[in-house]
Amino acid sequence: MGKPTVAGMYDYYLGGVHHTAGDREAGDRMLRAMPTLREVTRANRAFLRRAVRYLTAAGIRQFVDIGSGIPTVGNVHEVARAEAPDSRVLYVDVDPEVVALSASLLRGDDRAVAIEADLADPAAILGHPECARLIDPARPTALLMLCLLQWLPDEVVVPSVRTLREAFPGGSFIALSHPVAPPVNDPTAAVGEVYRATGARAATARTRDELVALFGDYVPVEPGLTWVTHWRPDGDPGVPDPVGMPLVVGVARRPER
Ligand SMILES: C[S@@+](CC[C@H](N)C(=O)[O-])C[C@H]1O[C@@H](n2cnc3c(N)ncnc32)[C@H](O)[C@@H]1O
């Protein structure tokens, strides 16, 4: 049975088809530890759709989606182009299998491209030839980091997010989703045990204040950092009740100078 991966387990929770027996086995253990996990991941994807629609309505045509994961239906470029066909999307993931799968699904599309890079090396993302080709750094851009930052320590997250948000002009946005509770970084917790098998460090649940600080000079748009199902709900009947959803989300905008 193959080693589970964060991306494969996430695909399993979402009911996708891109996961292994190892992902299913580890995923089932996670679901026993946290029975709402399927609903939480679906709510996170529903937030992604609402956020991308909001961003296109705000005039954004360039998206950099870091920790983009396995492409599932309703990906950023599909949602953005339904509203704004000229949208460009750079997908970034550290997992080479995820990138290979994304690249095969995006083949022939020269305005939605997947690259392999690590959030820990923002210069490699910003300096990548595909980033230079797709993303004009002088134009407002949306940086998406959904269910990503919990896998990385502050020593990586704080400087990397600062470098990325400073790379884009006024009118740019950051969208985040991140667990706040329960404390999944407890090394004795079942959640930590399962994810250690992926080789990922145990996920870190951050406080709201720590997450707001990651926005830097970007200002959260209404309703601020809030529970995943509370951010601009659109009446989608597929969005479950927030009870037991330890995930907060937010979108922030860099003011014009
Ligand atoms: C839980 S998935 C989230 C997928 C998608 N962003 C979403 O919210 O639906 C997290 C993804 O982050 C990727 N990832 C983990 N650490 C990373 C890093 N240091 N740099 C870039 N991607 C990373 C994993 O490979 C995985 O595909």
Side-chain angles (χ1 to χ4, degrees):
M1 193 156 56
K3 186 175 140 182
T5 65
V6 169
M9 289 167 68
Y10 187 81
D11 181 70
Y12 176 56
Y13 307 145
L14 283 171
V17 294
H18 303 296
H19 51 262
T20 65
D23 296 322
R24 283 193 291 280
E25 192 273 332
D28 285 337
R29 285 165 57 209
M30 274 300 296
L31 287 163
R32 281 195 290 278
M34 204 180 150
T36 58
L37 201 49
R38 279 190 200 284
E39 286 72 29
V40 174
T41 52
R42 286 184 189 143
N44 181 56
R45 293 300 293 187
F47 164 68
L48 175 125
R49 291 191 284 277
R50 299 198 303 281
V52 171
R53 282 193 206 115
Y54 171 87
L55 292 164
T56 49
I60 292 293
R61 298 293 180 267
Q62 305 190 138
F63 296 83
V64 178
D65 182 5
I66 306 179
S68 47
I70 291 171
T72 52
V73 175
N75 240 320
V76 175
H77 68 287
E78 293 166 342
V79 180
R81 286 184 190 161
E83 318 284 331
D86 53 338
S87 299
R88 296 158 172 260
V89 183
L90 184 72
Y91 291 109
V92 181
D93 205 285
V94 77
D95 181 334
E97 286 183 25
V98 164
V99 176
L101 187 56
S102 306
S104 72
L105 293 170
L106 295 170
R107 188 158 297 134
D109 188 332
D110 66 350
R111 287 175 296 117
V113 170
I115 64 166
E116 183 184 331
D118 192 332
L119 179 78
D121 188 358
I125 299 174
L126 296 168
H128 194 286
E130 289 292 359
C131 187
R133 187 176 69 79
L134 279 181
I135 307 294
D136 176 352
R139 290 184 61 197
T141 300
L143 273 171
L144 311 179
M145 290 174 284
L146 305 192
C147 283
L148 166 69
L149 302 178
Q150 69 261 35
W151 308 110
L152 297 156
D154 284 348
E155 303 85 85
V156 170
V157 165
V158 172
S160 292
V161 172
R162 185 191 307 124
T163 300
L164 289 164
R165 68 178 187 245
E166 286 178 357
F168 296 105
S172 295
F173 289 85
I174 295 175
L176 293 181
S177 66
H178 199 290
V180 285
V184 290
N185 53 345
D186 176 355
T188 62
V191 175
E193 291 297 331
V194 177
Y195 271 103
R196 256 201 296 283
T198 69
R201 64 191 288 282
T204 305
R206 292 187 166 86
T207 65
R208 284 164 189 270
D209 286 349
E210 286 171 322
L211 294 172
V212 169
L214 293 175
F215 286 139
D217 66 342
Y218 288 52
V219 180
V221 301
E222 286 297 323
L225 199 69
T226 186
W227 297 110
V228 60
T229 50
H230 289 193
W231 195 89
R232 296 177 180 257
D234 60 4
D236 178 353
V239 176
D241 192 86
V243 174
M245 299 244 177
L247 194 71
V248 292
V249 303
V251 174
R253 179 180 184 277
R254 190 170 212 189
E256 320 278 354
R257 307 227 157 241

